Amino acid sequence: MRRHLYLIAGFVSIGLGTIGAFLPLLPTVPFMILAAFCFARSSPRLEAKLLDHRHFGPHIRRWRERGAISRRGKIAALAGFGFSILVALIFSPWPWFLLPVAAALIGGGWIWTRPES
């Protein structure tokens, strides 16, 4: 039963990552890393396929080996956080705009402290 749940979660992660490739604020690589995690527990063949993928494989391997995020990935994530803060400041009333600001500061700070590949 647990194997099937991991398999389903892996496919959902692949789907969200695919959508993220076309939507600017939805990340792609973290969903692929999550899919690899799920497939490692459910389907070694699908995990190997992700690890051998031309675009996502190197990111997944760097994350597994060193917890590393590329500088380009960090900049993209922080730009997305910055855009989210800007939208919140424009469209959200006080004090609600503080929630995305706090989330962006916490998430962005964590991302920036990860090692670079």
Side-chain angles (χ1 to χ4, degrees), residues 20-81:
F22 300 102
L23 293 178
L25 294 180
L26 188 64
T28 299
V29 173
F31 284 115
M32 296 303 172
I33 291 171
L34 179 60
F37 172 84
C38 292
F39 289 150
R41 284 145 185 78
S42 61
S43 173
R45 183 181 59 83
L46 292 173
E47 178 195 20
K49 211 170 184 179
L50 264 180
L51 290 173
D52 292 336
H53 191 273
R54 184 177 60 168
H55 296 292
F56 304 122
H59 295 288
I60 295 167
R61 283 193 293 285
R62 279 192 296 259
W63 177 256
R64 282 184 171 180
E65 292 166 5
R66 300 184 305 274
I69 301 172
S70 68
R71 175 153 312 231
R72 185 175 169 209
K74 288 180 179 185
I75 291 170
L78 295 178
F81 282 135

Side-chain angles (χ1 to χ4, degrees), residues 2 21 42 44 71 82 89 101 103 115:
R2 192 163 61 178
S42 61
R71 175 153 312 231
L89 290 173
V101 171

Side-chain angles (χ1 to χ4, degrees), residues 81 84-85 88-89 95-110:
F81 282 135
S84 297
I85 288 173
L89 290 173
W96 299 110
F97 71 82
L98 293 175
L99 291 173
V101 171
L105 289 174
I106 292 167
W110 182 82

Side-chain angles (χ1 to χ4, degrees), residues 1-11 38 42:
M1 175 74 171
R2 192 163 61 178
R3 179 181 177 272
H4 293 341
L5 291 176
Y6 275 120
L7 193 62
I8 290 167
F11 281 118
C38 292
S42 61

